[in-house]
Amino acid sequence: MAEVFVLAGGGSAGHVNPMLATAAELRRRRPDAELVLLGTAEGLEAELVPAAGFELTEIEKVPLPRRPSMDALRFPRRWRSATATARAAIEGAAAVVGFGGYVATPAYLAGRSAGVPIVVHEQNARPGLANRLGARWAAAVGITFDGTPLPKARLVGLPLRPAIADLVRDRATDAVARSVAGAQFCGLDPERTTVLVTGGSLGAARLNATIPLVATALVEAGAQVLHLTGKGKSAGVLELLGAAPAQVSAHYHVREYLTEMEQALACADLVISRAGAGMVSELAALGIPAVYVPLPIGNGEQRLNARPVVSAGGGLLVEDSELSSTWLREHLLPLAIDAGLRARMGAEAAGAGITDGAARLADLVLEAGGGPR
């Protein structure tokens, strides 16, 4: 009878991509094993899981109601449905692996009830509610950032999505050739220093409002900018660039989104971004120096995500409220100008990065499941 591994994660790319990377590593090691991927019909997993060649077992999305509402009235029925799906999925499983979010909680509870070993992976420096719960019963807990406060935590890093794992290998073989290919794909000049600006798919208002203010200075310093504004957010950036000389606009490239993000990272000499766990982990693994601007809302997890690589000298951190044209001229321009400074910072980033997170997490899963690694 084939081994069965259940992986539960969904809602955001931060949960889905590590799940897919781990599933791919388990499939490589255990080609005969059955992999069951739990996710919702509404989240990104509904698109990303089938695209990666896996079948999605749909489970109802059941947010914990925080106040009286229709959702609160529907909660008991939806919770019973989700837990029933999870119990059926883990029957006979060697291990259940959770990546946090709504999907993970029913899987953790079903695993505990059935006596199936639980493995938790936490992507952020500050763990979420589902993983804090799952870690209580887990056989193993893998964390992305050292110091994440969970019991039995072992540092494994972030399982890198295949496109980034491939880029890590390509850069180790011939970084120059891969950079040129990435620049050509993005319509950039391979000879100029490339500054990548990204706030993720939703964009970052502060980056969009501030980086164009130093467009002329960056271009005059020999750089070019690839600014990914977020979907529907390009108009404001283009308006700020409207008064710039033509030679500046020619080297300041504005796009809303880039599906093939690995192409931009292949040619990026310097990145300015938010500090989501995925971005911090990918930039460190690739050895790319960065300026991190943590999201100013939430529980402060982005600041904590960036702390290890910044402390190692692999990047700079600036609070959203402090990012200004003055700050950029004082801190960003020297990096854009000085290749040696960027090289040193990139080396420090690489030293803090982890490139084999999927392999490390798969080790934990196979150990918990009782089989050889």
Coordinates of all heavy atoms in Angstrom, one line a residue, residues 20-106:
L20 N 3.4 23.7 -2.3 CA 3.7 23.1 -3.5 C 5.2 22.7 -3.7 O 5.5 21.6 -4.2 CB 3.4 24.0 -4.7 CG 1.9 24.3 -4.9 CD1 1.6 25.4 -5.9 CD2 1.2 23.0 -5.3
A21 N 6.1 23.5 -3.1 CA 7.5 23.1 -3.2 C 7.8 21.9 -2.4 O 8.6 21.0 -2.8 CB 8.3 24.3 -2.7
T22 N 7.2 21.8 -1.2 CA 7.3 20.6 -0.4 C 6.7 19.3 -1.1 O 7.3 18.2 -1.0 CB 6.7 20.8 1.0 OG1 7.2 22.0 1.5 CG2 7.0 19.6 1.9
A23 N 5.6 19.5 -1.7 CA 4.9 18.4 -2.4 C 5.8 17.9 -3.5 O 6.0 16.7 -3.7 CB 3.6 18.8 -2.9
A24 N 6.4 18.8 -4.3 CA 7.3 18.4 -5.4 C 8.5 17.7 -4.8 O 9.0 16.7 -5.5 CB 7.8 19.7 -6.1
E25 N 9.1 18.1 -3.7 CA 10.2 17.4 -3.1 C 9.8 16.0 -2.6 O 10.5 15.0 -2.8 CB 10.8 18.2 -2.0 CG 12.0 17.6 -1.3 CD 13.2 17.4 -2.1 OE1 13.3 18.0 -3.2 OE2 14.1 16.7 -1.7
L26 N 8.6 15.9 -2.0 CA 8.2 14.6 -1.6 C 7.9 13.6 -2.8 O 8.2 12.4 -2.7 CB 6.9 14.7 -0.7 CG 7.1 15.3 0.7 CD1 5.7 15.6 1.3 CD2 7.9 14.4 1.6
R27 N 7.3 14.2 -3.8 CA 7.1 13.4 -5.0 C 8.4 12.9 -5.6 O 8.5 11.8 -6.2 CB 6.3 14.2 -6.0 CG 5.9 13.4 -7.3 CD 4.8 14.0 -8.1 NE 5.1 15.3 -8.6 CZ 4.3 16.1 -9.3 NH1 3.1 15.7 -9.5 NH2 4.7 17.3 -9.7
R28 N 9.4 13.8 -5.6 CA 10.7 13.4 -6.1 C 11.3 12.2 -5.4 O 11.9 11.3 -5.9 CB 11.7 14.6 -6.1 CG 13.0 14.3 -6.8 CD 14.0 15.5 -6.6 NE 14.4 15.6 -5.2 CZ 15.4 14.9 -4.6 NH1 16.0 14.0 -5.3 NH2 15.7 15.1 -3.4
R29 N 11.2 12.3 -4.0 CA 11.8 11.3 -3.2 C 10.9 10.0 -3.1 O 11.4 8.9 -2.9 CB 12.0 11.8 -1.8 CG 13.0 12.9 -1.7 CD 13.4 13.1 -0.2 NE 14.0 14.4 0.0 CZ 14.5 14.8 1.2 NH1 14.4 13.9 2.2 NH2 15.0 16.0 1.4
R30 N 9.6 10.2 -3.1 CA 8.6 9.1 -3.0 C 7.7 9.1 -4.2 O 6.5 9.4 -4.1 CB 7.8 9.2 -1.7 CG 8.6 9.1 -0.4 CD 9.0 7.7 -0.2 NE 9.4 7.5 1.2 CZ 10.7 7.7 1.7 NH1 11.6 8.2 0.8 NH2 10.9 7.5 2.9
P31 N 8.2 8.7 -5.4 CA 7.3 8.8 -6.6 C 6.1 7.9 -6.5 O 5.1 8.2 -7.2 CB 8.3 8.3 -7.7 CG 9.4 7.6 -7.0 CD 9.5 8.2 -5.7
D32 N 6.1 6.9 -5.6 CA 4.9 6.0 -5.5 C 3.9 6.5 -4.4 O 2.9 5.9 -4.3 CB 5.3 4.6 -5.2 CG 6.1 4.0 -6.4 OD1 5.9 4.4 -7.6 OD2 7.0 3.2 -6.1
A33 N 4.3 7.5 -3.7 CA 3.4 8.0 -2.6 C 2.2 8.7 -3.1 O 2.3 9.3 -4.2 CB 4.2 8.8 -1.6
E34 N 1.2 8.7 -2.3 CA 0.0 9.5 -2.7 C 0.0 10.8 -1.9 O 0.2 10.8 -0.7 CB -1.3 8.7 -2.3 CG -2.6 9.5 -2.6 CD -3.8 8.8 -2.1 OE1 -3.7 7.6 -1.7 OE2 -4.9 9.4 -2.2
L35 N -0.1 11.9 -2.6 CA 0.0 13.2 -2.0 C -1.4 13.8 -2.1 O -1.9 14.0 -3.2 CB 1.0 14.1 -2.7 CG 2.5 13.6 -2.7 CD1 3.4 14.5 -3.5 CD2 3.0 13.5 -1.3
V36 N -1.9 14.2 -1.0 CA -3.3 14.8 -0.9 C -3.1 16.2 -0.5 O -2.6 16.5 0.6 CB -4.2 14.0 0.1 CG1 -5.5 14.7 0.2 CG2 -4.3 12.6 -0.3
L37 N -3.5 17.2 -1.3 CA -3.3 18.6 -1.0 C -4.7 19.2 -0.7 O -5.6 19.2 -1.6 CB -2.7 19.3 -2.2 CG -1.1 19.3 -2.3 CD1 -0.6 17.9 -2.4 CD2 -0.6 20.2 -3.4
L38 N -4.8 19.7 0.5 CA -6.1 20.3 1.0 C -6.0 21.8 0.7 O -5.1 22.4 1.1 CB -6.3 20.0 2.5 CG -6.7 18.6 2.9 CD1 -6.7 18.6 4.4 CD2 -8.0 18.2 2.3
G39 N -7.1 22.3 0.2 CA -7.3 23.7 0.0 C -8.7 24.1 -0.2 O -9.6 23.3 -0.4
T40 N -8.9 25.4 -0.3 CA -10.3 25.9 -0.6 C -10.5 26.1 -2.1 O -9.6 26.3 -2.8 CB -10.6 27.2 0.2 OG1 -9.8 28.3 -0.4 CG2 -10.2 27.0 1.7
A41 N -11.8 26.3 -2.4 CA -12.1 26.6 -3.8 C -11.9 28.0 -4.1 O -11.9 28.4 -5.3 CB -13.6 26.2 -4.1
E42 N -11.8 28.9 -3.1 CA -11.8 30.3 -3.3 C -10.3 30.9 -3.3 O -10.1 31.9 -3.9 CB -12.5 31.1 -2.2 CG -14.0 30.7 -2.1 CD -14.3 29.5 -1.2 OE1 -13.3 29.0 -0.7 OE2 -15.4 29.2 -1.0
G43 N -9.4 30.2 -2.7 CA -8.1 30.7 -2.6 C -7.2 30.5 -3.8 O -7.6 29.9 -4.8
L44 N -6.0 31.0 -3.8 CA -5.1 30.9 -4.9 C -4.8 29.4 -5.2 O -4.4 29.1 -6.3 CB -3.7 31.6 -4.6 CG -3.7 33.1 -4.7 CD1 -2.4 33.7 -4.3 CD2 -4.0 33.5 -6.2
E45 N -4.9 28.6 -4.2 CA -4.6 27.1 -4.4 C -5.5 26.5 -5.4 O -5.1 25.5 -6.1 CB -4.7 26.4 -3.1 CG -6.1 26.4 -2.4 CD -6.3 27.5 -1.5 OE1 -5.6 28.6 -1.7 OE2 -7.2 27.4 -0.6
A46 N -6.7 27.0 -5.6 CA -7.6 26.5 -6.6 C -7.0 26.6 -8.0 O -7.3 25.8 -8.9 CB -9.0 27.2 -6.6
E47 N -6.2 27.6 -8.3 CA -5.5 27.8 -9.5 C -4.1 27.2 -9.5 O -3.7 26.5 -10.5 CB -5.4 29.2 -9.9 CG -4.6 29.6 -11.1 CD -4.4 31.1 -11.3 OE1 -5.1 31.9 -10.6 OE2 -3.6 31.5 -12.2
L48 N -3.3 27.4 -8.4 CA -1.9 27.0 -8.4 C -1.7 25.5 -8.3 O -0.7 25.0 -8.8 CB -1.2 27.8 -7.3 CG -1.2 29.3 -7.4 CD1 -0.4 29.9 -6.3 CD2 -0.5 29.7 -8.7
V49 N -2.5 24.9 -7.5 CA -2.3 23.4 -7.2 C -2.5 22.6 -8.5 O -1.6 21.8 -8.9 CB -3.2 22.9 -6.1 CG1 -3.2 21.4 -6.0 CG2 -2.7 23.5 -4.8
P50 N -3.6 22.7 -9.3 CA -3.7 22.0 -10.5 C -2.6 22.4 -11.5 O -2.1 21.5 -12.3 CB -5.1 22.4 -11.0 CG -5.8 22.8 -9.8 CD -4.8 23.5 -8.9
A51 N -2.2 23.7 -11.6 CA -1.2 24.1 -12.5 C 0.2 23.5 -12.2 O 1.0 23.3 -13.1 CB -1.1 25.6 -12.4
A52 N 0.4 23.1 -10.9 CA 1.6 22.4 -10.6 C 1.6 20.9 -10.8 O 2.5 20.2 -10.5 CB 2.0 22.8 -9.1
G53 N 0.4 20.4 -11.2 CA 0.3 19.0 -11.5 C -0.2 18.2 -10.4 O -0.1 16.9 -10.4
F54 N -0.8 18.8 -9.4 CA -1.4 18.1 -8.3 C -2.9 18.2 -8.3 O -3.5 19.2 -8.8 CB -0.9 18.6 -6.9 CG 0.6 18.4 -6.8 CD1 1.5 19.4 -7.0 CD2 1.1 17.1 -6.4 CE1 2.9 19.2 -6.9 CE2 2.5 17.0 -6.2 CZ 3.4 18.0 -6.5
E55 N -3.6 17.3 -7.7 CA -5.1 17.4 -7.5 C -5.4 18.1 -6.2 O -4.8 17.7 -5.2 CB -5.7 16.0 -7.6 CG -7.2 16.0 -7.5 CD -7.8 14.6 -7.6 OE1 -7.1 13.7 -7.9 OE2 -9.0 14.5 -7.3
L56 N -6.3 19.0 -6.2 CA -6.7 19.7 -5.0 C -7.9 19.0 -4.4 O -9.0 18.8 -5.1 CB -7.1 21.2 -5.4 CG -7.5 22.0 -4.2 CD1 -6.4 22.2 -3.2 CD2 -8.1 23.3 -4.6
T57 N -7.8 18.7 -3.1 CA -9.0 18.2 -2.4 C -9.6 19.4 -1.7 O -8.9 20.0 -0.8 CB -8.6 17.1 -1.3 OG1 -8.0 16.0 -2.0 CG2 -9.7 16.7 -0.5
E58 N -10.8 19.8 -2.1 CA -11.4 21.0 -1.6 C -11.9 20.8 -0.2 O -12.6 19.8 0.1 CB -12.4 21.5 -2.5 CG -11.9 22.0 -3.9 CD -13.0 22.6 -4.8 OE1 -14.1 22.6 -4.4 OE2 -12.6 23.0 -5.9
I59 N -11.7 21.8 0.6 CA -12.2 21.8 2.0 C -12.8 23.2 2.2 O -12.4 24.2 1.7 CB -11.0 21.6 3.0 CG1 -11.6 21.5 4.4 CG2 -10.0 22.7 2.9 CD1 -10.5 21.0 5.4
E60 N -13.9 23.2 3.0 CA -14.6 24.5 3.2 C -13.8 25.5 4.0 O -13.1 25.1 4.9 CB -15.9 24.2 3.9 CG -16.8 25.4 4.0 CD -18.3 25.1 3.9 OE1 -18.7 23.9 4.1 OE2 -19.1 26.1 3.8
K61 N -13.8 26.7 3.5 CA -13.1 27.8 4.2 C -14.0 28.2 5.4 O -15.1 28.6 5.3 CB -12.9 29.0 3.3 CG -12.2 30.2 3.9 CD -12.1 31.3 2.9 CE -11.4 32.5 3.5 NZ -11.3 33.6 2.6
V62 N -13.4 28.1 6.6 CA -14.1 28.4 7.8 C -13.4 29.4 8.7 O -12.7 29.0 9.7 CB -14.4 27.1 8.6 CG1 -15.5 27.3 9.7 CG2 -14.9 26.0 7.7
P63 N -13.5 30.7 8.4 CA -12.9 31.7 9.3 C -13.6 31.6 10.7 O -14.8 31.4 10.8 CB -13.2 33.0 8.6 CG -13.6 32.7 7.2 CD -14.2 31.3 7.3
L64 N -12.8 31.8 11.7 CA -13.4 31.8 13.1 C -14.1 33.2 13.3 O -13.6 34.2 13.1 CB -12.3 31.8 14.1 CG -12.7 31.6 15.6 CD1 -13.4 30.3 15.8 CD2 -11.5 31.8 16.5
P65 N -15.5 33.1 13.5 CA -16.2 34.4 13.7 C -15.8 35.1 14.9 O -15.6 34.6 16.0 CB -17.7 33.9 13.8 CG -17.6 32.5 14.2 CD -16.3 31.9 13.7
R66 N -15.6 36.4 14.7 CA -15.1 37.3 15.8 C -16.2 38.2 16.4 O -16.0 38.8 17.4 CB -14.0 38.2 15.3 CG -12.8 37.4 14.8 CD -11.7 38.2 14.4 NE -10.5 37.5 13.8 CZ -9.6 36.9 14.6 NH1 -9.6 37.0 15.9 NH2 -8.6 36.2 14.0
R67 N -17.4 38.2 15.7 CA -18.6 38.9 16.2 C -19.8 38.3 15.7 O -19.8 37.6 14.7 CB -18.4 40.4 15.8 CG -18.4 40.6 14.3 CD -18.3 42.1 14.0 NE -17.0 42.6 14.5 CZ -15.9 42.6 13.8 NH1 -15.9 42.0 12.6 NH2 -14.8 43.1 14.2
P68 N -21.0 38.6 16.3 CA -22.2 38.0 15.8 C -22.5 38.5 14.4 O -22.4 39.6 14.1 CB -23.3 38.6 16.8 CG -22.5 39.0 18.0 CD -21.1 39.4 17.6
S69 N -22.8 37.5 13.6 CA -23.1 37.7 12.2 C -23.7 36.5 11.5 O -23.8 35.4 12.2 CB -21.8 38.1 11.4 OG -20.9 36.9 11.4
M70 N -24.0 36.6 10.2 CA -24.5 35.4 9.5 C -23.4 34.3 9.5 O -23.7 33.2 9.5 CB -25.0 35.8 8.1 CG -26.3 36.6 8.1 SD -27.6 35.8 8.9 CE -27.9 34.4 7.8
D71 N -22.2 34.8 9.3 CA -21.1 33.8 9.3 C -21.0 33.0 10.6 O -20.7 31.8 10.6 CB -19.7 34.5 9.0 CG -19.6 34.9 7.6 OD1 -20.2 34.3 6.7 OD2 -18.7 35.8 7.3
A72 N -21.3 33.7 11.7 CA -21.3 33.0 13.0 C -22.4 32.0 13.1 O -22.2 30.9 13.6 CB -21.5 34.0 14.1
L73 N -23.5 32.3 12.5 CA -24.6 31.3 12.5 C -24.3 30.1 11.6 O -24.7 29.0 11.9 CB -25.9 32.0 12.0 CG -26.5 33.1 12.9 CD1 -27.7 33.7 12.3 CD2 -26.9 32.5 14.3
R74 N -23.6 30.4 10.5 CA -23.3 29.3 9.6 C -22.0 28.5 10.0 O -21.7 27.4 9.5 CB -23.0 29.8 8.2 CG -24.2 30.3 7.5 CD -23.9 30.6 6.0 NE -23.1 31.8 5.9 CZ -23.6 33.0 5.6 NH1 -25.0 33.2 5.4 NH2 -22.9 34.1 5.5
F75 N -21.3 29.0 11.0 CA -20.0 28.4 11.4 C -20.1 26.9 11.8 O -19.3 26.1 11.3 CB -19.4 29.2 12.6 CG -18.1 28.6 13.1 CD1 -16.9 28.8 12.4 CD2 -18.1 27.9 14.3 CE1 -15.8 28.2 12.9 CE2 -17.0 27.3 14.8 CZ -15.8 27.5 14.1
P76 N -21.1 26.5 12.7 CA -21.1 25.1 13.1 C -21.2 24.1 11.9 O -20.5 23.1 11.9 CB -22.3 25.0 14.0 CG -22.5 26.4 14.5 CD -22.1 27.3 13.4
R77 N -22.1 24.4 11.0 CA -22.3 23.5 9.8 C -21.0 23.5 9.0 O -20.6 22.4 8.6 CB -23.5 24.0 9.0 CG -23.7 23.1 7.7 CD -24.6 23.8 6.7 NE -24.0 25.1 6.2 CZ -23.1 25.1 5.3 NH1 -22.5 24.0 4.8 NH2 -22.6 26.3 4.9
R78 N -20.5 24.7 8.7 CA -19.3 24.7 7.9 C -18.1 24.0 8.6 O -17.3 23.4 7.9 CB -19.0 26.2 7.5 CG -20.1 26.8 6.7 CD -19.9 28.3 6.6 NE -18.7 28.7 5.8 CZ -18.3 29.9 5.6 NH1 -19.0 30.9 6.2 NH2 -17.2 30.2 4.9
W79 N -18.0 24.2 9.9 CA -16.9 23.6 10.6 C -17.0 22.0 10.6 O -16.0 21.4 10.4 CB -16.9 24.1 12.0 CG -15.8 23.4 12.9 CD1 -15.9 22.5 13.8 CD2 -14.4 23.7 12.7 NE1 -14.7 22.2 14.3 CE2 -13.8 22.9 13.7 CE3 -13.6 24.5 11.9 CZ2 -12.4 22.9 13.8 CZ3 -12.3 24.5 12.1 CH2 -11.6 23.7 13.0
R80 N -18.3 21.6 10.7 CA -18.5 20.1 10.6 C -18.1 19.6 9.2 O -17.5 18.5 9.1 CB -19.9 19.7 10.9 CG -20.3 19.9 12.4 CD -21.6 19.2 12.7 NE -22.7 19.9 12.0 CZ -23.4 20.9 12.5 NH1 -23.1 21.3 13.7 NH2 -24.4 21.4 11.8
S81 N -18.4 20.3 8.2 CA -18.1 19.9 6.8 C -16.6 19.9 6.6 O -16.0 19.0 6.1 CB -18.7 20.9 5.8 OG -18.3 20.6 4.5
A82 N -15.9 21.0 7.1 CA -14.4 21.0 7.0 C -13.7 19.9 7.7 O -12.8 19.3 7.2 CB -13.9 22.4 7.4
T83 N -14.1 19.6 8.9 CA -13.5 18.6 9.7 C -13.7 17.2 9.2 O -12.9 16.3 9.2 CB -13.9 18.7 11.2 OG1 -15.3 18.6 11.3 CG2 -13.4 19.9 11.9
A84 N -15.0 17.0 8.6 CA -15.3 15.7 8.0 C -14.4 15.5 6.7 O -13.9 14.4 6.5 CB -16.7 15.7 7.6
T85 N -14.2 16.6 5.9 CA -13.3 16.4 4.8 C -11.9 16.1 5.2 O -11.2 15.3 4.6 CB -13.3 17.7 4.0 OG1 -14.6 18.0 3.5 CG2 -12.4 17.6 2.8
A86 N -11.4 16.8 6.3 CA -10.0 16.6 6.8 C -9.9 15.2 7.3 O -8.9 14.5 7.1 CB -9.7 17.6 7.9
R87 N -10.9 14.7 8.1 CA -10.8 13.3 8.6 C -10.7 12.3 7.5 O -9.9 11.3 7.5 CB -12.0 13.0 9.5 CG -11.9 13.7 10.9 CD -12.9 13.0 11.8 NE -14.3 13.2 11.3 CZ -15.1 14.2 11.6 NH1 -14.6 15.2 12.4 NH2 -16.3 14.2 11.1
A88 N -11.5 12.5 6.4 CA -11.5 11.5 5.3 C -10.1 11.6 4.6 O -9.6 10.6 4.2 CB -12.6 11.8 4.4
A89 N -9.6 12.8 4.5 CA -8.3 13.0 3.7 C -7.1 12.3 4.4 O -6.2 11.8 3.8 CB -8.0 14.4 3.5
I90 N -7.1 12.3 5.8 CA -5.9 11.8 6.5 C -6.0 10.4 6.8 O -5.1 9.8 7.4 CB -5.7 12.7 7.8 CG1 -6.8 12.4 8.8 CG2 -5.6 14.1 7.5 CD1 -6.4 12.9 10.2
E91 N -7.1 9.7 6.5 CA -7.3 8.3 6.8 C -6.1 7.5 6.2 O -5.9 7.5 5.0 CB -8.6 7.8 6.3 CG -8.9 6.3 6.7 CD -10.3 5.9 6.3 OE1 -11.1 6.7 5.9 OE2 -10.5 4.7 6.5
G92 N -5.4 6.8 7.0 CA -4.2 6.0 6.6 C -3.0 6.8 6.2 O -2.0 6.2 5.7
A93 N -3.0 8.1 6.5 CA -1.8 8.9 6.2 C -0.6 8.7 7.1 O -0.8 8.3 8.3 CB -2.2 10.4 6.3
A94 N 0.6 8.8 6.5 CA 1.8 8.7 7.3 C 2.1 10.0 8.1 O 2.7 9.9 9.1 CB 3.0 8.4 6.3
A95 N 1.7 11.1 7.5 CA 1.9 12.4 8.2 C 0.9 13.4 7.6 O 0.6 13.3 6.4 CB 3.3 12.8 8.1
V96 N 0.6 14.4 8.4 CA -0.2 15.6 7.8 C 0.7 16.8 8.1 O 1.3 17.0 9.1 CB -1.5 15.7 8.5 CG1 -1.4 15.8 10.0 CG2 -2.3 17.0 8.0
V97 N 0.9 17.6 7.0 CA 1.8 18.7 7.0 C 0.9 20.0 6.8 O 0.2 20.1 5.8 CB 2.8 18.7 5.9 CG1 3.9 19.7 6.1 CG2 3.4 17.3 5.8
G98 N 1.0 20.9 7.8 CA 0.2 22.1 7.7 C 1.1 23.4 7.5 O 2.2 23.5 8.1
F99 N 0.6 24.3 6.7 CA 1.3 25.5 6.4 C 0.6 26.7 6.9 O 1.0 27.9 6.5 CB 1.6 25.6 4.9 CG 2.4 24.5 4.3 CD1 1.9 23.3 4.0 CD2 3.8 24.7 4.2 CE1 2.7 22.2 3.5 CE2 4.6 23.7 3.7 CZ 4.1 22.4 3.4
G100 N -0.4 26.6 7.7 CA -1.1 27.7 8.3 C -2.3 28.1 7.5 O -2.6 27.6 6.5
G101 N -3.1 29.0 8.1 CA -4.3 29.5 7.4 C -5.5 28.7 7.8 O -5.4 27.7 8.6
Y102 N -6.6 29.1 7.2 CA -7.9 28.4 7.6 C -7.9 26.9 7.4 O -8.5 26.1 8.1 CB -9.0 29.0 6.7 CG -9.2 30.5 6.9 CD1 -9.2 31.3 5.8 CD2 -9.4 31.1 8.1 CE1 -9.4 32.7 5.9 CE2 -9.6 32.4 8.3 CZ -9.6 33.2 7.2 OH -9.8 34.6 7.3
V103 N -7.2 26.5 6.3 CA -7.2 25.0 5.9 C -6.5 24.2 7.0 O -6.8 23.0 7.2 CB -6.6 24.9 4.5 CG1 -6.5 23.4 4.2 CG2 -7.4 25.6 3.5
A104 N -5.5 24.7 7.6 CA -4.6 23.9 8.4 C -5.3 23.5 9.7 O -5.1 22.3 10.2 CB -3.3 24.7 8.8
T105 N -6.1 24.3 10.3 CA -6.7 24.0 11.6 C -7.5 22.7 11.6 O -7.3 21.8 12.4 CB -7.6 25.2 12.1 OG1 -6.7 26.3 12.2 CG2 -8.1 24.8 13.5
P106 N -8.5 22.5 10.7 CA -9.2 21.2 10.6 C -8.2 20.0 10.4 O -8.4 18.9 11.0 CB -10.1 21.4 9.4 CG -10.3 22.8 9.2 CD -9.0 23.4 9.6

